[in-house]
Amino acid sequence: TSEAEIEMAAATVGFPAVLKPISGAASLGVVKVQSVEELKRAFKETTDELRTLVVCGGALVQGTADGSGVEASNLVDMTMLLEQYLDGAEVDVDIVMSGGKWVYASVCDNGPTLEPYFNETWAVRPSILPKDQQAALKDLSVQCVQALGFTSGVFHVECKMTSTGPQLIEVNARMGGKEVRESNLRVWGVDLVEETIFCALGVPARPTLPKQPHEAMAFVSLNANKSGRVGDIMKGLEHVKSQEGVVWAKPLCKSGDSVVGPADGLPTWLCEIGVAKPTAKEALEYLFKLE
C-alpha cells in the first residue's frame, strides 16, 4: 500500500516478479521487475499513472476531453500486488458452467507480451497448443472456477503453460472483453452473451458444438513500437479493411495523438485487427503479414 512495504514484499516474493494494481483492466500498470530498485521505480510510475485516470461509464480511462468522469484515486483502491513471475505462453480459457459442471471450454493462445510491460499483442482461436496441454489448461481453469464456489455462469480464465505445467493467472467471473464474444461465436458457434442470459435465468446451458471449428480467427492489438505522434491512421486501416479475410480493423487512437513506445513506458495501443482463415496457423500467418 506504500513505498515503505516494498522491501518486505520483495523479500517475500523474490525476483523476477510482477507488479500489478489490484484494480484496473487490460494489463494497465502491470510490469515485470528484476530488483528492489526496479520495483521502487515501477511502484512510483504505476501509482502516479493510476492517479491520472478517471472512472467514466464504469471503466478506468485516461482523462476525457469533455472533463467527465471521476478521479480514479477517489473511487479505486490503489493497492499494488507483487506476485511470482511465470514463464511460458499465456492463454485464455472461456468457460460456460451450468448445474455445477462445465458445458463449454475453449482455449485461445496469446502472443508474447512486450516485457517489461504486459500489454496484449496477438491471439489466435482455436489454440495451436498440443491437445494434452489444452486439456490440462481446461482442467485447471474449470477446477479453479469450481474451487471459488461457482456452479453456473460464463468465465474468462487466464493461465500460462509454464515450464512446470499449467499455472493460474486470474479468474474473471464474467465474459471476456474485446474480441472474446465474436471469436467464440465465429469459431465454435457459441454465443457467450446468450449463455450468460441462460445462466442468469436459471435455464440449463447446453451449447451445441461442431466436431471441427467453423473457421479460425487471429487478432492483434497493435502496440506503438516507439514514442511519437500518430500519422493518418484511418488511411492505413481503410487499406487493411479492404483485404480479403479481414473481419475488422478498428482504431484505438486518433491521427495526431501522442503515443508512447515500450522504451519510454507502458506502450499505447494503436489499433485492433482481426482476420479469419480456414486454420489457426493460416490466420496467424496472415495476421503477421498484415501487421
Side-chain angles (χ1 to χ4, degrees), residues 4 36 71 80 119-120 124 174 198 212-213 222 233 263 274:
V36 173
E71 288 186 17
M80 303 293 290
N119 259 8
E120 296 172 2
V124 64
R174 54 154 174 84
F198 286 156
Q212 297 295 328
L222 196 61
I233 191 169

Side-chain angles (χ1 to χ4, degrees), residues 43-286:
F43 179 85
K44 183 178 185 308
E45 288 177 356
T46 302
T47 51
D48 285 351
E49 180 169 11
L50 287 174
R51 290 189 181 95
T52 69
L53 303 181
V54 298
V55 179
C56 186
L60 276 174
V61 298
Q62 297 289 347
T64 54
D66 60 4
S68 61
V70 180
E71 288 186 17
S73 57
N74 293 334
L75 294 177
V76 175
D77 191 335
M78 293 292 174
T79 302
M80 303 293 290
L81 176 69
L82 189 69
E83 60 186 17
Q84 174 193 7
Y85 172 76
L86 300 174
D87 64 2
E90 187 173 333
V91 305
D92 299 330
V93 185
D94 294 303
I95 297 171
V96 179
M97 297 283 293
S98 183
K101 299 179 179 179
W102 70 275
V103 293
Y104 174 73
S106 168
V107 179
C108 176
D109 299 341
N110 292 338
T113 54
L114 295 178
E115 293 187 4
Y117 303 97
F118 289 85
N119 259 8
E120 296 172 2
T121 52
W122 57 262
V124 64
R125 189 188 304 276
S127 171
I128 55 179
L129 289 174
K131 296 295 184 183
D132 61 332
Q133 292 188 14
Q134 291 188 49
L137 288 160
K138 288 180 182 179
D139 286 346
L140 173 68
S141 301
V142 169
Q143 288 173 29
C144 289
V145 169
Q146 291 172 328
L148 289 168
F150 292 108
T151 57
S152 68
V154 174
F155 302 86
H156 185 72
V157 183
E158 298 181 13
C159 302
K160 271 195 170 186
M161 178 51 75
T162 74
S163 54
T164 58
Q167 297 273 7
L168 176 70
I169 298 176
E170 65 186 34
V171 175
N172 298 281
R174 54 154 174 84
M175 183 183 75
K178 298 176 73 175
E179 70 288 325
V180 168
R181 182 206 182 189
E182 185 162 0
S183 63
N184 277 281
L185 184 56
R186 293 181 67 114
V187 174
W188 293 111
V190 176
D191 188 338
L192 296 181
V193 170
E194 189 175 84
E195 300 302 330
T196 300
I197 294 171
F198 286 156
C199 291
L201 294 175
V203 177
R206 297 290 184 270
T208 302
L209 298 179
K211 291 184 178 180
Q212 297 295 328
H214 297 304
E215 62 183 359
M217 288 198 71
F219 15 88
V220 66
S221 296
L222 196 61
N223 292 267
N225 59 16
K226 62 181 179 180
S227 299
R229 196 168 294 279
V230 178
D232 189 351
I233 191 169
M234 294 310 299
K235 182 179 179 181
L237 289 178
E238 287 300 326
H239 173 70
V240 172
K241 282 181 185 178
S242 68
Q243 306 301 304
E244 184 181 358
V246 174
V247 180
W248 68 75
K250 308 172 185 176
L252 297 176
C253 62
K254 300 187 297 294
S255 299
D257 281 357
S258 293
V259 297
V260 176
D264 300 309
L266 181 68
T268 305
W269 277 327
L270 302 176
C271 62
E272 292 178 342
I273 300 171
V275 304
K277 289 288 182 180
T279 69
K281 288 186 177 180
E282 287 176 286
L284 202 52
E285 287 173 2
Y286 185 50

Side-chain angles (χ1 to χ4, degrees), residues 26-42:
S27 301
L28 181 69
V30 182
V31 59
K32 181 181 178 183
V33 289
Q34 301 272 17
S35 65
V36 173
E37 292 70 29
E38 285 188 15
L39 176 55
K40 288 180 178 179
R41 184 167 62 250

